[in-house]
């Protein structure tokens, strides 16, 4: 794959971004710039960086945002989708279609790997520019190094969490050289090295442009790396993660949104401009409900029973549904349930009926976080354009509590969760019967924190990683996901996705190096 091809793709995505109503970027279309032209001056380099953001954000558009969420104890594939698409159904059934030929798994790879390569090529070019840059130019280029390094670290982190060993980008004379998959230690070294660059050059202050990450986003990701890295990589370190998260808590200036439901209300803190951001946002993917800047997530999260009215904000096609465990994990009085799960489908005073032949789960509970009240009665649910959080402060607090538990301060961890995330969940005060006991054991806390992460972060993309890193992947999915309860087929080999055949054919170094137990 050549650099110029990626440059063109990036700039095309930027052009799509100019149709947004958020006012982020205004420029004339440019689709034929060479790599030399793109890296000729700081203004064009910034455009390149924006292109990385849009390509990475594309993983949160349409049904792609659900591929890596499906098949857990939190999210399962809808009945009609299982019946009519074996490859898609395999993401919950873990059957013979969970293999290298699966087009959905390939799409999850193909929408990430090129971004990592393009970011690597960009880093190479900027390092070349630094050799002859003036002092002023060097300062600008170093800021770009911080931003691009952050994006590459995020993409590589996702890739290794889902696929394990990776054929890391190796840029020679501006172009990537194909190579074999590297061991986890080398993969995590590249990720942490990138984040150290980001910590050096990113700003602590939030920019008016939400596409530019801050040092706090880099610290959040590095903390996740230390918590989520497989033990065998040598990078699992709760103590290091705790230091980063305590700094974020003490100096980052973040706070929990007062009302949990407001986090997902596009008319409130979820507006399209960073100036409307919640104090809880650490890094967010901004969307609009105008094509091509919408995310279309509701199309796949909503119910077909309401699809006869295309302007019903909770209509859709039943792809990603909450498991019964996810629906019932909330305690009575927990306000997060109503904000996260839709159980009432009455629309315009009428109770909808399931569409014949399209599954019996159309009126089962559905995820609610992707609904966009701005389009209700006005636009098709296809045009959903609410923002999607990547890192938010509640996640950081739960991670910090987990680190405290793992480093010997279980009582402090319990107090932190009780007084912050759980207090907000109950409107400010946790009912006495639901206050966590500060005398609980570290093991009991590990069980409780996983449930709490589900309540707080349902369908926000972290559950699969949480189950794998804690060793509960097969255990919990087997008894909580509808399709595994019916026919348990899941095994330890399913903790990773198979390396897609399309990638193996492009890179001969991958031949014969499939993830163990997969085809």
């Amino acid at each position: 794959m050549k650099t110029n091809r990626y440059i063109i793709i990036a700039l095309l995505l930027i052009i799509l971004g100019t149709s947004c109503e958020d006012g982020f970027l205004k420029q004339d279309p440019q689709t034929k710039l060479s790599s030399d032209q793109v890296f000729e001056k700081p203004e064009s380099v910034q455009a390149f960086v924006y292109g990385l953001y849009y390509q990475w954000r594309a993983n949160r558009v349409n049904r792609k945002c659900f591929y890596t969420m499906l098949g857990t104890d939190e999210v399962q594939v809808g009945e009609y989708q299982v019946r009519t698409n074996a490859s898609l159904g395999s993401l919950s059934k873990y059957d013979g279609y969970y293999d290298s030929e699966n087009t959905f798994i390939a799409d999850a790879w193909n929408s990430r790997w090129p971004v990592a390569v393009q970011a690597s090529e960009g880093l190479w070019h900027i390092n070349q520019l630094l050799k002859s840059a003036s002092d002023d130019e060097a300062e600008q280029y170093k800021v770009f190094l911080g931003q691009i390094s952050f994006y590459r670290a995020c993409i590589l982190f996702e890739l290794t969490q889902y696929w394990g060993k990776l054929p890391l980008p190796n840029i020679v004379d501006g172009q990537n050289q194909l190579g074999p998959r590297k061991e986890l230690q080398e993969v995590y070294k590249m990720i942490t090295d990138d984040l150290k660059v980001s910590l050096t050059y990113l700003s602590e202050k939030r920019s008016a442009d939400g596409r530019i990450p801050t040092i706090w986003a880099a610290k959040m990701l590095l903390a996740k790396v230390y918590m989520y890295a497989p033990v065998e990589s040598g990078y699992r370190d709760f103590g290091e993660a705790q230091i980063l998260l305590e700094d974020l808590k003490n100096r980052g200036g973040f706070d929990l949104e007062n009302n949990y439901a407001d986090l997902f209300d596009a008319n409130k803190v979820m507006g399209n401009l960073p100036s409307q951001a919640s104090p809880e946002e650490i890094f967010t993917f901004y969307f609009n409900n105008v094509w091509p800047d919408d995310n279309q997530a509701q199309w796949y999260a909503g119910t077909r029973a309401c699809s006869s009215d295309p302007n019903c904000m909770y209509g859709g096609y039943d792809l990603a549904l909450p498991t019964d465990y996810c629906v019932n994990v909330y305690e009575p009085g927990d306000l997060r349930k109503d904000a996260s799960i839709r159980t009432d489908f009455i629309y315009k005073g009428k109770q909808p009926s399931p569409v014949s032949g399209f599954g019996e789960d159309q009126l089962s509970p559905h995820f609610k976080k992707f609904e966009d009240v701005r389009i209700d009665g006005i636009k098709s649910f296809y045009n959903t354009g609410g923002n999607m959080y990547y890192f938010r402060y509640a996640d950081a607090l739960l991670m910090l509590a987990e680190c405290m538990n793992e480093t010997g301060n279980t009582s402090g961890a319990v107090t932190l969760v009780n007084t912050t995330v759980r207090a907000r969940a109950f409107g400010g005060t946790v009912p006495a019967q639901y206050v966590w006991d500060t005398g609980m054991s570290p093991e009991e806390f590990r069980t409780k924190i996983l449930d709490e992460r589900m309540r707080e972060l349902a369908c926000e993309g972290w559950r699969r990683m949480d189950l794998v890193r804690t060793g509960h992947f097969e255990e919990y999915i087997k008894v909580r996901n509808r399709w595994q309860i019916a026919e348990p087929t899941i095994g330890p080999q399913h903790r990773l996705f198979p390396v897609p055949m399309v990638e193996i054919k492009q890179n001969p170094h991958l031949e014969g190096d499939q993830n163990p137990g997969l085809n």
Side-chain angles (χ1 to χ4, degrees):
M1 298 181 183
K2 297 184 180 297
T3 301
N4 289 359
R5 175 186 172 192
Y6 288 127
I7 300 300
I8 292 170
I9 292 172
L11 291 172
L12 282 170
L13 284 164
I14 293 167
I15 294 163
L16 291 178
T18 63
S19 66
C20 309
E21 294 177 353
D22 59 17
F24 271 165
L25 186 63
K26 301 294 182 185
Q27 68 172 48
D28 294 328
Q30 302 176 82
T31 60
K32 296 182 180 179
L33 296 183
S34 69
S35 57
D36 288 340
Q37 289 174 304
V38 168
F39 296 98
E40 183 179 27
K41 54 186 178 180
E43 292 81 3
S44 55
V45 177
Q46 184 66 79
F48 171 84
V49 178
Y50 288 151
L52 294 177
Y53 168 86
Y54 284 115
Q55 284 186 274
W56 182 29
R57 191 188 70 159
N59 286 293
R60 275 75 188 172
V61 174
N62 59 55
R63 62 186 179 184
K64 282 191 293 188
C65 69
F66 298 111
Y67 293 163
T68 55
M69 297 187 200
L70 296 169
T72 66
D73 63 342
E74 178 181 274
V75 187
Q76 61 196 14
V77 182
E79 180 180 328
Y80 179 74
Q81 309 282 355
V82 167
R83 280 208 322 256
T84 59
N85 194 316
S87 291
L88 191 55
S90 73
L91 299 182
S92 268
K93 298 192 75 174
Y94 296 102
D95 55 17
Y97 290 92
Y98 189 94
D99 63 10
S100 61
E101 300 283 359
N102 188 300
T103 56
F104 300 101
I105 293 175
D107 199 16
W109 170 276
N110 291 334
S111 59
R112 288 175 172 84
W113 176 247
V115 190
V117 173
Q118 183 186 343
S120 301
E121 292 169 343
L123 291 173
W124 183 90
H125 280 285
I126 292 177
N127 279 309
Q128 297 302 306
L129 289 172
L130 282 170
K131 294 177 182 179
S132 58
S134 66
D135 289 345
D136 288 343
E137 289 174 334
E139 288 304 309
Q140 289 180 293
Y141 289 136
K142 287 176 181 178
V143 172
F144 296 139
L145 278 181
Q147 294 174 29
I148 298 173
S149 295
F150 172 80
Y151 288 135
R152 184 171 74 169
C154 289
I155 293 294
L156 290 178
F157 176 71
E158 291 181 358
L159 285 165
T160 190
Q161 284 287 303
Y162 299 138
W163 281 275
K165 297 188 299 180
L166 300 176
L168 292 175
N170 177 31
I171 309 305
V172 178
D173 293 331
Q175 294 187 13
N176 186 47
Q177 305 299 302
L178 298 178
R181 294 205 291 170
K182 303 297 184 181
E183 296 299 325
L184 292 178
Q185 183 176 10
E186 194 168 343
V187 173
Y188 279 93
K189 182 180 186 305
M190 178 174 278
I191 294 171
T192 54
D193 285 349
D194 276 348
L195 290 172
K196 289 173 185 176
V197 173
S198 295
L199 292 176
T200 301
Y201 298 126
L202 292 180
S203 172
E204 292 187 0
K205 185 177 180 181
R206 182 182 176 88
S207 168
D209 187 333
R211 295 167 294 189
I212 298 177
T214 64
I215 195 172
W216 305 113
K219 288 194 174 192
M220 178 77 165
L221 178 58
L222 187 54
K224 279 197 180 284
V225 169
Y226 287 135
M227 292 179 66
Y228 287 68
V231 174
E232 60 268 28
S233 73
Y235 280 84
R236 177 76 65 90
D237 193 325
F238 286 99
E240 288 296 322
Q242 183 173 340
I243 292 171
L244 292 161
L245 293 166
E246 286 178 340
D247 189 38
L248 186 152
K249 176 177 180 290
N250 295 331
R251 297 196 308 112
F254 300 99
D255 201 359
L256 294 179
E257 187 66 39
N258 287 332
N259 181 8
Y260 181 85
D262 286 351
L263 287 165
F264 308 97
D265 187 336
N267 278 334
K268 294 183 180 177
V269 301
M270 208 175 175
N272 297 106
L273 289 172
S275 60
Q276 299 170 278
S278 165
E280 191 163 334
E281 293 184 30
I282 298 175
F283 191 82
T284 299
F285 295 104
Y286 288 92
F287 290 95
N288 207 317
N289 55 9
V290 179
W291 187 88
D293 202 44
D294 50 1
N295 59 48
Q296 306 148 34
Q298 181 61 30
W299 188 271
Y300 299 98
T303 172
R304 192 179 296 265
C306 293
S307 62
S308 59
D309 186 335
N311 297 333
C312 173
M313 70 178 182
Y314 37 90
Y317 290 115
D318 310 300
L319 167 64
L321 275 65
T323 63
D324 287 345
Y325 188 86
C326 179
V327 173
N328 296 317
V329 73
Y330 299 90
E331 296 142 321
D334 189 331
L335 301 175
R336 293 172 297 188
K337 181 174 184 177
D338 186 57
S340 303
I341 309 291
R342 175 166 292 284
T343 57
D344 180 357
F345 299 94
I346 294 174
Y347 189 65
K348 295 181 178 179
K350 296 181 180 179
Q351 173 67 36
S353 299
V355 180
S356 178
F358 287 95
E360 299 302 317
D361 53 7
Q362 295 174 57
L363 294 180
S364 298
H366 281 58
F367 286 110
K368 190 176 181 180
K369 289 182 175 179
F370 305 100
E371 296 175 1
D372 189 342
V373 67
R374 297 169 301 177
I375 67 171
D376 192 37
I378 300 171
K379 291 183 177 183
S380 165
F381 46 81
Y382 177 89
N383 292 108
T384 299
N387 300 327
M388 293 187 183
Y389 302 109
Y390 193 61
F391 297 142
R392 57 184 178 91
Y393 187 51
D395 188 4
L397 291 172
L398 293 175
M399 290 166 57
L400 175 56
E402 192 170 343
C403 290
M404 294 168 67
N405 180 61
E406 296 301 327
T407 56
N409 186 9
T410 303
S411 62
V414 170
T415 299
L416 177 62
V417 177
N418 275 335
T419 58
T420 58
V421 176
R422 285 181 61 75
R424 194 257 303 266
F426 289 94
T429 303
V430 184
Q433 65 268 37
Y434 298 127
V435 173
W436 288 6
D437 182 1
T438 56
M440 73 172 64
S441 69
E443 185 55 41
E444 184 179 359
F445 184 88
R446 292 185 190 109
T447 299
K448 284 183 171 293
I449 199 68
L450 270 181
D451 279 349
E452 191 65 18
R453 287 184 63 78
M454 183 184 288
R455 297 182 189 107
E456 181 66 32
L457 303 168
C459 210
E460 293 185 42
W462 298 111
R463 190 62 181 181
R464 182 186 181 97
M465 295 184 194
D466 283 344
L467 292 178
V468 171
R469 71 180 174 86
T470 58
H472 294 295
F473 183 76
E474 308 98 86
E475 174 193 357
Y476 285 180
I477 294 172
K478 188 177 294 185
V479 297
R480 295 175 181 176
N481 187 290
R482 170 188 178 181
W483 304 107
Q484 288 303 300
I485 294 172
E487 187 177 356
T489 56
I490 194 168
Q493 71 274 22
H494 297 120
R495 296 174 194 172
L496 295 175
F497 289 127
V499 178
M501 184 56 63
V502 292
E503 189 64 23
I504 294 173
K505 289 179 178 178
Q506 291 180 12
N507 184 352
H509 297 279
L510 303 183
E511 187 69 37
D513 189 19
Q514 184 56 268
N515 282 322
L518 300 174
N519 300 314

